Amino acid sequence: MLLKDAAEFWVNREFDKLGMPYSFGGREESQGTKRRMVTAAGETIVEVDSVKELKRLLPSRILGLKSKYLLLMNTPSIYSLNELWQGNRNNVQPHYYTALELFSEQPGDKKKERIVVGDSTLLTDMNKLGEYYLDDMYFFRLVTYIAFPSVWQCADWSETGIVVCLVIIVVCLLAIILLILYHILYHRKVRESTKPCVCGNTVLCIDKDKYQICDIVFDEIGRTLTFGGKKVINCPLQPYKLLCAFIHAENHFLSNDRIIEICGWTSGEDGIGDRRRMAISSLRKLLDSKNSHVNLESGKNEKEEMGFYLVIK
């Protein structure tokens, strides 16, 4: 409808600019099935097509005659039609952009004229609005294009409802992001708290020949373990030798062969594996691993040797 209003205004304005007197006789619309036009080349008859008739952009025959004369005399005037249509569109729905494609198919004219008005990049099937005729003989076919703006351009940002919805969306997104970060940090903390930690800096030399492992104080000279500054126990010889070796070993790791060597056994003896496990179990019991969190975990060192680490767990 905005295009039809612009077209009617355009025809009357541009024709009046010519300052030419004119008269129109006969009925406004022909009731027959044929329309005739007489030119210097002779008479031209066009069959009335009901489908094309519905696509006539101008409502009356006299306006169609005016537009045909305009386009024959001054074809570039079609540029002002697009400007008027774009102006009408801006007043009602801004951010829409228009373009026109005019085809002139005059009888006897083998060279069909084509004129593009507006942004030629809009001439795609996606932007095509429709095809119309600017005269009652269907000689001037007008293809119209309109580009629809994005939702962000169409929205009225002064509306309270839109602002409230955006605030709610932003708050929800922030809540989701914070929830995800909380879960990531929480699970990371859980993993770190349950992950065995190799005693490195956690074995502290607090005095000459005295070492603190978490809440346990080991007196290497006195061969005693003090738990929480209260409970004191003496270390049997074998667990004592193993604990000393663990404290002074690199990364507090002892290989299986090194454990056998410390205990004074010989590799290859029958049941050597069971004896080694019993020795480690005795040291765990001495350290009260369940309560002190000081434990011995099996693993490999950088040389791919199997053995045990002294760890805080």
Side-chain angles (χ1 to χ4, degrees):
M1 294 305 300
L2 293 175
L3 177 61
K4 289 184 177 181
D5 291 343
E8 187 171 354
F9 181 80
W10 164 73
V11 167
N12 288 322
R13 186 188 69 178
E14 297 297 323
F15 193 83
D16 289 344
K17 286 181 180 179
L18 298 176
M20 296 177 56
Y22 68 93
S23 63
F24 179 80
R27 293 174 296 180
E28 174 67 17
E29 296 290 345
S30 174
Q31 301 298 320
T33 59
K34 297 181 180 180
R35 290 177 183 163
R36 292 177 173 80
M37 183 177 70
V38 180
T39 63
E43 184 181 46
T44 300
I45 299 176
V46 173
E47 293 286 344
V48 176
D49 188 325
S50 60
V51 176
K52 290 183 177 180
E53 195 68 7
L54 292 174
K55 293 183 178 181
R56 281 176 58 189
L57 192 59
L58 299 168
S60 65
R61 185 183 178 191
I62 186 171
L63 290 175
L65 291 172
K66 287 182 178 181
S67 67
K68 180 166 59 178
Y69 186 79
L70 282 173
L71 295 172
L72 288 174
M73 297 296 296
N74 187 21
T75 303
S77 64
I78 195 69
Y79 287 90
S80 60
L81 172 58
N82 187 58
E83 292 177 357
L84 289 170
W85 183 30
Q86 181 69 61
N88 289 349
R89 177 66 62 186
N90 291 339
N91 293 332
V92 179
Q93 294 172 317
H95 307 296
Y96 285 74
Y97 298 99
T98 61
L100 300 177
E101 190 176 20
L102 178 66
F103 294 90
S104 176
E105 301 174 355
Q106 296 295 320
D109 187 3
K110 295 182 180 179
K111 183 181 178 181
K112 298 180 180 180
E113 189 176 4
R114 172 180 175 267
I115 298 175
V116 175
V117 179
D119 188 355
S120 60
T121 61
L122 302 182
L123 274 61
T124 62
D125 291 338
M126 180 179 67
N127 297 325
K128 186 176 180 180
L129 178 64
E131 294 185 3
Y132 304 94
Y133 293 94
L134 286 173
D135 65 317
D136 61 339
M137 300 292 284
Y138 318 128
F139 292 155
F140 293 96
R141 180 166 56 95
L142 188 69
V143 185
T144 58
Y145 300 88
I146 183 169
F148 295 92
S150 65
V151 176
W152 300 105
Q153 291 177 309
C154 291
D156 184 2
W157 299 108
S158 61
E159 286 288 334
T160 305
I162 294 179
V163 176
V164 172
C165 289
L166 284 177
V167 171
I168 293 174
I169 291 173
V170 171
V171 171
C172 291
L173 288 175
L174 288 175
I176 293 172
I177 292 172
L178 291 175
L179 186 61
I180 293 174
L181 290 175
Y182 170 77
H183 279 284
I184 292 174
L185 294 175
Y186 174 77
H187 288 295
R188 181 182 296 174
K189 185 177 180 180
V190 170
R191 287 196 301 269
E192 290 177 352
S193 63
T194 57
K195 181 180 178 181
C197 176
V198 176
C199 289
N201 296 331
T202 53
V203 178
L204 303 177
C205 182
I206 59 176
D207 198 357
K208 185 178 180 180
D209 300 320
K210 286 188 178 181
Y211 302 91
Q212 183 168 353
I213 313 169
C214 291
D215 291 335
I216 301 176
V217 176
F218 173 57
D219 186 345
E220 190 173 12
I221 300 298
R223 291 174 53 178
T224 60
L225 290 173
T226 304
F227 294 83
K230 297 179 181 180
K231 183 181 177 182
V232 180
I233 62 173
N234 294 318
C235 299
L237 181 58
Q238 188 183 72
Y240 165 76
K241 291 167 64 176
L242 286 174
L243 183 56
C244 289
F246 272 114
I247 288 176
H248 296 291
E250 183 179 359
N251 293 327
H252 309 291
F253 173 84
L254 295 179
S255 66
N256 290 340
D257 293 338
R258 178 60 178 153
I259 293 172
I260 293 173
E261 180 183 345
I262 292 169
C263 292
W265 303 326
T266 303
S267 298
E269 293 183 11
D270 293 338
I272 193 70
D274 293 335
R275 295 169 66 183
R276 182 177 57 245
R277 284 190 290 272
M278 288 180 64
I280 295 296
S281 179
S282 298
L283 181 54
R284 285 198 187 105
K285 186 176 180 181
L286 180 68
L287 294 171
D288 193 11
S289 296
K290 292 183 179 179
N291 297 318
S292 66
H293 305 292
V294 180
N295 205 350
L296 302 173
E297 293 285 343
S298 62
K300 291 182 179 180
N301 63 1
E302 296 177 354
K303 298 178 181 179
E304 295 296 319
E305 295 176 317
M306 287 299 300
F308 290 86
Y309 283 97
L310 178 67
V311 300
I312 302 297
K313 188 174 183 180

